[in-house]
Each structure stands twice: as C-alpha cells, then as structure tokens.
C-alpha cells in the first residue's frame, strides 16, 4: 500500500516535459532560428560551399571558360618546384609581415600609453591617430602614397631641399617594399584603440603603489603595463599577422598590378590575383589560396604556442 502511494506521488510530482511546461520556449526558439537564418544561409552558401569548391578546383586545371580538368597534385608541385615568381611572392610577403607587424604593434602600444592620460585634447588626438586605419586600405590612399614616394613626390622634394640625392622610392626595388611597410605601420589606429582600452583598465592602485615605491615611468611600462597588456598584444599580433598576409590593395595600386619593380612588391595575394584573373589559371590560384591558409594557420599556431612563455593572464 505504501509503495502504491509512493508511486502515485512520484508520477503526480514528476516534472512535465519542457514543451508542456513552457510552450513560449518553442516560440522563442523559432524566433531565434529566424534571426539566425540569414547568417546560416551565408555561412553555407557564401563560405562553406565556396571553400569546398575551391579545394576541389585546386586539384584541377580550370581557366574559367572550360570545364575543370582533374590533374591531381600538379598545381601544388608546380608551386614549389617550377614557379620562381611564387617563391618570390612568398619571400616578399614574409618579409612584409615579419617587419611591418611588430613595428605597427610597437607604435600602437607606445601611442596608446601616451594618449591614456585624460587631457583636454586627448579625444581629438585619439580620433586623428585612428583616422589612418579607416582610410589606409583604400585605393585613394594607395594613389596618394604613390604620389608621395614618387620621383617628384613630397619625400623626394623634402630630401632634395636638404641636399640629399633623390630617387623614385616606389620605382627602386631596394626601397619599394619599404614604402608599403611604412604604409602598414601608419595604419596603427585599430590596435591602438584596443591597447588604449586595455591601459584604461589597469588598476590605478597598482600604478599608485609602484609610484610610491619609486618606480620610474620606464620601469612601470615594462614591469606593469606590458605584462598586463600581454593578452591584448597576442590578440593584435594574430589579427595583424592575418591582415598583413592578406594585403593586396596597396601593392596593386602602387605597382599597377604588376608587383614591380622587379617583383619587389609582388605580394602573395597580388600574384594569386594575377594567376587567377589575368592568366586564367584559376585552379593554380586556388592551390595558392589553400597554401596561404595553411601558412596563416601555422603562424597563428606558433603565436599561440609561444604565448605560454610571455602572455600573463589574471588567473
């Protein structure tokens, strides 16, 4: 009898299914799905399927005008054994990334620390320093940069006025890449804003305690600011590296889409564009794209692996 009563109590007290308890949840789920549907459609049809298609095409000969012809690994073999221009583009892009990214992050960090103090003109200077990041990737800035570093540009005029020998900086293979590196460093606004937010979050008690202990501004920068901002440095390092590997517009505009002079500005993405849309070797270009994906993944993995030795988290 007691068992029967217990079983009746159990079945009477057992929670009903979630749908029965909260029918409004189904409406919320439908609403969420409706709002997510555009993103899901874009993910499938604009990202996933094109990626799968490009991977398949990378194993074929495809000229955009005739059906793809399966050739196996020939495109990948040609990249590293038969195409010196590809190796040159890889060298130019790697040099660009390894030089411009650290310098851009360093400049952004220094400027962020300098602008972290609240002054009447601080907001104005923050806006001015951020402006190049909004304009730096545009065609107009590429044209302007070409004029500034041309044979009769502003830089040559200033150096000539000081008695130095002038040259066309973008026309000399020794200096052309460095003009693009300077352009990348000039676009330090985005990482600067992130660093500025991080500096503003540093506890004031720690800074005040270090001042009372007699720490100089340089000591506070290296002993407090850098360790506390190391997660943001890692984030900016990864994002800036990815963006630098994908740089295209400045090199295209400055070199008229050729990568000259003497392939000194032949960025990886520029050569990919030339092979795919000028030489109509789209299968070969797809192979280049997937190799670039692997290269970026390797650089990112190395950054995250090395971060365990220099990134300090609060926990």
């Amino acid at each position: 009898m007691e068992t029967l009563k217990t079983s009746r109590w159990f079945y009477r007290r057992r929670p009903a299914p979630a749908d029965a308890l909260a029918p409004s949840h189904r409406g919320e789920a439908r609403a969420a799905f409706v709002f997510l549907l555009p993103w899901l459609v874009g993910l499938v049809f604009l990202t996933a399927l094109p990626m799968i298609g490009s991977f398949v095409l990378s194993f074929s000969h495809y000229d955009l005008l005739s059906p793809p012809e399966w050739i196996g690994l020939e495109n990948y073999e040609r990249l590293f054994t038969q195409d010196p221009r590809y190796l040159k583009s890889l060298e130019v892009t790697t040099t660009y990334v390894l030089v411009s990214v650290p310098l851009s992050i360093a400049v952004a960090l220094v400027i962020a620390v300098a602008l972290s103090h609240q002054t009447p003109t601080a907001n104005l200077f923050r806006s001015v320093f951020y402006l190049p990041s909004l304009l730096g990737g545009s065609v107009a800035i590429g044209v302007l940069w070409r004029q500034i570093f041309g044979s009769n540009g502003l830089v040559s005029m200033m150096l000539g006025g000081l008695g130095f020998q002038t040259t066309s900086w973008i026309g000399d293979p020794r200096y052309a890449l460095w003009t693009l590196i300077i352009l990348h460093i000039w676009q330090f606004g985005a990482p600067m804003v992130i660093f500025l937010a991080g500096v503003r979050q540093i506890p004031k008690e720690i800074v005040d305690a270090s001042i009372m202990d007699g720490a100089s501004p340089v000591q506070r920068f290296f002993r407090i600011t850098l360790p506390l901002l190391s997660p943001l440095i890692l984030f900016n390092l990864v994002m800036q590296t990815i963006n630098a590997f994908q740089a295209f517009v400045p090199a295209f505009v400055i070199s008229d889409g050729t990568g000259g002079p003497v392939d000194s500005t032949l960025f990886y993405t520029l050569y990919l564009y030339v092979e795919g849309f000028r030489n109509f070797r789209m299968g070969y270009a797809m192979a280049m794209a997937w190799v670039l994906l692997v290269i970026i993944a390797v650089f990112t993995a190395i950054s995250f692996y090395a971060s365990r030795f220099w990134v300090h988290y609060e926990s």
Side-chain angles (χ1 to χ4, degrees):
M1 189 68 179
E2 186 65 28
T3 304
L4 181 60
K5 291 181 179 179
T6 304
S7 61
R8 288 177 178 175
W9 179 88
F10 171 77
Y11 285 111
R12 187 170 61 250
R13 302 287 296 182
R14 186 177 59 179
D19 291 343
L21 283 175
S24 61
H25 289 178
R26 287 178 294 181
E28 294 176 357
R30 293 193 192 99
F33 179 77
V34 169
F35 282 106
L36 287 173
L37 186 60
W39 180 84
L40 293 174
V41 172
L43 175 66
V44 174
F45 292 99
L46 300 180
T47 302
L49 290 181
M51 286 185 65
I52 296 173
S54 68
F55 182 72
V56 174
L57 289 175
S58 69
F59 297 97
S60 66
H61 172 73
Y62 181 46
D63 60 3
L64 295 176
L65 303 175
S66 58
E69 178 186 350
W70 184 267
I71 58 175
L73 295 174
E74 287 186 19
N75 286 330
Y76 292 94
E77 293 176 358
R78 182 186 170 195
L79 284 176
F80 298 101
T81 60
Q82 304 175 22
D83 191 351
R85 290 199 76 196
Y86 171 76
L87 298 178
K88 179 64 177 180
S89 70
L90 193 59
E91 175 190 350
V92 170
T93 306
T94 303
T95 303
Y96 175 78
V97 171
L98 294 180
V99 175
S100 65
V101 171
L103 290 178
S104 176
I105 292 177
V107 172
L109 179 58
V110 172
I111 298 296
V113 173
L115 295 178
S116 61
H117 304 287
Q118 191 62 41
T119 61
T121 58
N123 291 332
L124 173 63
F125 280 105
R126 291 167 189 166
S127 301
V128 170
F129 283 125
Y130 182 71
L131 185 61
S133 291
L134 300 177
L135 305 175
S138 65
V139 175
I141 293 299
V143 174
L144 176 63
W145 217 252
R146 184 175 179 177
Q147 296 298 322
I148 291 176
F149 288 95
S151 56
N152 297 319
L154 179 62
V155 175
S156 295
M157 292 175 57
M158 293 176 59
L159 293 177
L162 296 175
F164 293 98
Q165 184 178 1
T166 62
T167 183
S168 175
W169 303 94
I170 62 173
D172 193 326
R174 296 174 298 174
Y175 309 118
L177 179 61
W178 289 97
T179 63
L180 297 177
I181 291 175
I182 294 173
L183 176 58
H184 181 87
I185 297 173
W186 182 62
Q187 305 170 40
F188 62 84
M192 180 202 70
V193 170
I194 296 174
F195 283 138
L196 185 60
V199 172
R200 299 289 294 273
Q201 295 299 317
I202 294 178
K204 190 174 183 298
E205 296 79 6
I206 298 178
V207 178
D208 293 340
S210 64
I211 294 176
M212 294 183 63
D213 289 339
S216 65
V218 176
Q219 290 175 326
R220 294 199 301 271
F221 178 78
F222 285 101
R223 299 293 181 88
I224 297 176
T225 305
L226 275 184
L228 292 179
L229 293 183
S230 56
L232 297 182
I233 295 175
L234 173 64
F235 174 80
N236 281 326
L237 176 64
V238 172
M239 298 304 298
Q240 291 295 309
T241 299
I242 295 174
N243 292 334
F245 269 114
Q246 296 175 340
F248 172 78
V249 173
F252 181 85
V253 174
I254 289 179
S255 68
D256 286 329
T258 63
V262 198
D263 290 343
S264 59
T265 60
L266 186 63
F267 282 5
Y268 196 106
T269 52
L270 178 58
Y271 188 51
L272 189 154
Y273 166 82
V274 170
E275 287 295 310
F277 295 97
R278 288 188 180 175
N279 299 332
F280 295 103
R281 290 195 282 260
M282 186 57 68
Y284 190 63
M286 292 300 99
M288 292 179 59
W290 277 94
V291 172
L292 178 61
L293 176 64
V294 173
I295 292 174
I296 293 176
V298 169
F299 269 80
T300 304
I302 292 174
S303 299
F304 277 103
Y305 177 79
S307 67
R308 67 179 66 183
F309 302 107
W310 60 272
V311 175
H312 305 278
Y313 295 100
E314 186 177 355
S315 58

